Amino acid sequence: MTDDESGFPVVEGQGVVYYTREDKAVVKGNKNDGQLIATPPVLKQLAAELL
């Protein structure tokens, strides 16, 4: 997995901000101004490994 210029993981060509406590994933910004998407399974798996 690669990171975008902000350090967020890139999934399917887009930087994704993942809020683990809320189980929400956002592209093109953060939860205040980005687009909510279905959480990519790869992010859930990575978060589970880190917790």
Side-chain angles (χ1 to χ4, degrees):
M1 185 177 303
T2 60
D3 302 340
D4 69 5
E5 64 277 353
S6 300
F8 295 107
V10 174
V11 179
E12 297 180 11
Q14 297 187 74
V16 179
V17 180
Y18 178 50
Y19 298 93
T20 55
R21 292 184 182 154
E22 300 168 14
D23 190 27
K24 293 183 180 179
V26 180
V27 295
K28 300 180 182 171
N30 59 39
K31 64 182 172 182
N32 296 323
D33 64 0
Q35 175 187 356
L36 187 64
I37 62 168
T39 303
V42 68
L43 289 182
K44 285 187 176 189
Q45 178 183 355
L46 180 60
E49 291 174 14
L50 294 173
L51 299 175

